[in-house]
Amino acid sequence: AIQQCSAATVTTRSPTSFGLSLACPPVDIRSPHTCDIRKYAVQYRVATSKQAFQEKVVSTSSTNLKHLTSYTEYEVCVKAMYMQHYCQSSSVSPTCVFLRTQPRSPPQPMAVNVIGITDTKATVTWDQPAHPDGISVRNNMTIMKPQRNIVVAIGLVKGMERRTVINLRILTRYKVWIVAINEEKPQQTSSSDKIEFVTTGPSPHGLASKVTSSSAEISWDFAKELQSRVTSYLVKYSELGDRTWKTADSEGIKMSVTLSDLKSYTSYGVEVEGILDSDVHTKTVSHSFTTNQSAPSPPRDVKVRNVLSREVTTVWSPPTLANGQLAMYRVFVMISTSSVSNVDHRKGNSTVSGSETSAIITSLTPNTRYKVWVAAINVEGRELISKLGGSSAFTTNVEASSPPRNVTYFNVTSRSVVVQWLRPLTVHGTLFKYNVSLSVSGQELYRMHRRGKLVDGHILFLRLEKLIPFTEYRVQVQAGTIMSSPSRVLWSDPTEMVTFTTKQTFSSQPHGLRVETNTLTSRSFWLQWQVPKRPNGDIQFYIVYLYEKNVSSNWTLTRFHRTTDSAREAEVMGLTPYTKYKVAVAAVNIENGEEFVSQRNRWMIVMTLDEEPNRPSNCLLRDTSEVALHVSWHYPLPGDYKVAFYEISYSPLRNLRYHSILVRNESVWIKNLLPDTEYNVSVRAVTNNTAVFFGPPCYLTARTRTRAPGAPTKCRVIAGVTSLIVGWSAPAPALTDYKSTTVYYEVAFQSQLHYHRSVKKAPEMFEQTNLLSATTYNVTVTAFTNSTVLSSGPACRVMARTKEQGIESMFWHGCSMLIKFIQQT
């Protein structure tokens, strides 16, 4: 019998699946020939959809439908499937039921934030995304004290509000979070992240400080109603500008602390905050203070400089620790036998401001040993004096003596002089040396030191040598007093300057000898030179020496010339052209009528210039060609010159553009000329030994030969019975560029029995009549010119044959007659 399934029931439900129980007959497997239940078919689709059912075939009475849409109503149908062997399968109508999937959990609240935190209130804000299934969502807010996990408030937020104000306790730590709840299924929730915050409250106040140079007592006050909740106070301090903080112990809840081991005259910053139960910190309160000044450390590196006989300069470096604003330094100077215990700190030899690091001590005793100390002083209502730094010892100098007296000189020569003087009137210490300063034109050259020597009753002298002749000198003398420690010489003021002039002597050689180029001629030149580097006197004149080679090719002094004054130039005249000379110059000084002639300077070779050459003689035309002329001439008439080369200039007649060539021989081929052209030719001599001179030219006129024409081209023949018409083209290259040239043509006809020759001008065509019919002729066309020298070129050759006598001859005879008529007309 066929049985039908009843409706399916839900065993489990989720947003995306159903667990179903099928109320169907059991699977009954009988003999192969009976109908039995083999399987169950579960069909499902969205209830509001008209789409086809999805089907799932199972063999048990329970199954799961997965991958469904949340919070959606489905139509679910169940039927039993029967299988009959050896026939088609059959089934019954399904039994259907409508089922709905569960909604999804609500989305998590987002962007939870606590704003507007005060002592007792705070505002909580958040965002609640819409439920993906369109279900209404409500929010619960939970507030908890995290230190004990005590929930202090749970509130349901009304409606769709996303902010709420809560009442809290002062200076307390809280945690708050928001819970989203499905309206359709309240057991479905989602929670936001937990936000922790602390309410505000009063902070320590009334910070005050009592400072010394190395410590500070910091005190403060706090709200009385909160003091019972205070567990401790956190105190931090550091130097201003330094962010390295140090902490101080406030001894529990005591509202004061003492900071020790502080630096003097230093600004500090201090911060205080209260720590309450639940590790709640109050706001930090800041305070600053500056410690008092104290005595600075001793000055460093105390030294003395510029020790004189009655004063000394003391220098030092500032203290390592100023411990305040340095007000002053006090310098103490005492005789070296005194001890530091004898120093009165209130009285010193010099007091300078705190910004100075040096002091000048005066009113000392010469040649006395002292010790020096320096103290640094701060002022904080009273003087805070450091320990003494220094104890540097020194000895004042010995004072210089008075200058020597009566400085004079004698035995003056060109290279030496003797200077003498008298002993100083006042001498401090031991007279050790005399310092003689020698100067020229106010510049000090050198100093000589000589131990004092008593000669003829307190007279001292010194011989000065290696002086410059004829030079004005100034001399001064100083007396030197020796100091024992440190060992050095103290010089007196110099005496007044005494002036003397050394005598003249031989000067050095003149130098820079040269000849002015623009003054050098064939007969004279101007010679110039420079003053000797060491004149050694007042030069009166110069002597010019002139040497010339003799017949033995040896240099011989031919003359010398004295200048009239000290001018540094002279004209040498009466010379021979193109001749080599040696020249030298010497300077002459005169002292008391005695002449001092210097050595002659290095020789200088001078070559006089050539003179202008004469005109070449016998200029002749030796030969010609089509493109060249052969010209010759004779050497110019003798003179004081030597021809270096010849300049040949040429140009076509009536053409002003000349071309030039240089040759050394007395003949030349002028090449690369134009054929059949008349040329003007000039020849002149040129000298180029010391300067270039051009002589007058000789002239001649010559003409190149005519160039032979080429062979006529493209020779062709028209044959008749008794005549031949010959045509050709002009030779290449054509000679039409030369107006004076006429081209003729020679036309020759030659057979075994006859020879005919004719000469004609253009046009390039010719007819020869009275020839034999049916005869072969060698035709030759030759071009030639009619210049003074007949020039003929190669020939153009062609072979032709006259026609036989017949009907055609009449036609060709008519053609020839027509050609003659055309030529005549």
Side-chain angles (χ1 to χ4, degrees), residues 531-547:
V531 175
K533 294 183 179 180
R534 296 186 301 277
N536 295 337
D538 186 10
I539 296 176
Q540 300 296 319
F541 57 89
Y542 294 91
I543 301 177
V544 180
Y545 299 90
L546 191 68
Y547 290 79

Side-chain angles (χ1 to χ4, degrees), residues 316-346:
W316 60 88
S317 298
T320 304
L321 300 175
N323 294 336
Q325 187 174 3
L326 290 175
M328 65 188 79
Y329 291 98
R330 190 165 290 156
V331 183
F332 306 89
V333 178
M334 300 185 69
I335 297 176
S336 60
T337 56
S338 302
S339 64
V340 69
S341 59
N342 299 328
V343 176
D344 185 355
H345 291 171
R346 295 171 297 174

Side-chain angles (χ1 to χ4, degrees), residues 134-160:
I135 301 174
S136 298
V137 178
R138 70 175 184 268
N139 294 120
N140 270 5
M141 181 177 64
T142 303
I143 304 174
M144 182 182 72
K145 291 183 178 180
Q147 66 275 14
R148 298 181 182 177
N149 292 328
I150 299 177
V151 177
V152 297
I154 299 177
L156 180 63
V157 181
K158 296 180 180 181
M160 300 299 293

Side-chain angles (χ1 to χ4, degrees), residues 529 539-542 562-569:
W529 57 88
I539 296 176
Q540 300 296 319
F541 57 89
Y542 294 91
R562 290 194 176 197
T563 61
T564 56
D565 51 18
S566 59
R568 301 187 301 275
E569 62 178 2

Side-chain angles (χ1 to χ4, degrees), residues 508-514 528-534 542 568 585 587 599-602:
S508 61
Q509 301 172 357
H511 65 284
L513 190 64
R514 66 189 184 93
Q528 293 183 344
W529 57 88
Q530 295 183 12
V531 175
K533 294 183 179 180
R534 296 186 301 277
Y542 294 91
R568 301 187 301 275
V585 179
Q599 293 183 354
R600 301 165 192 177
N601 61 357
R602 183 178 296 178

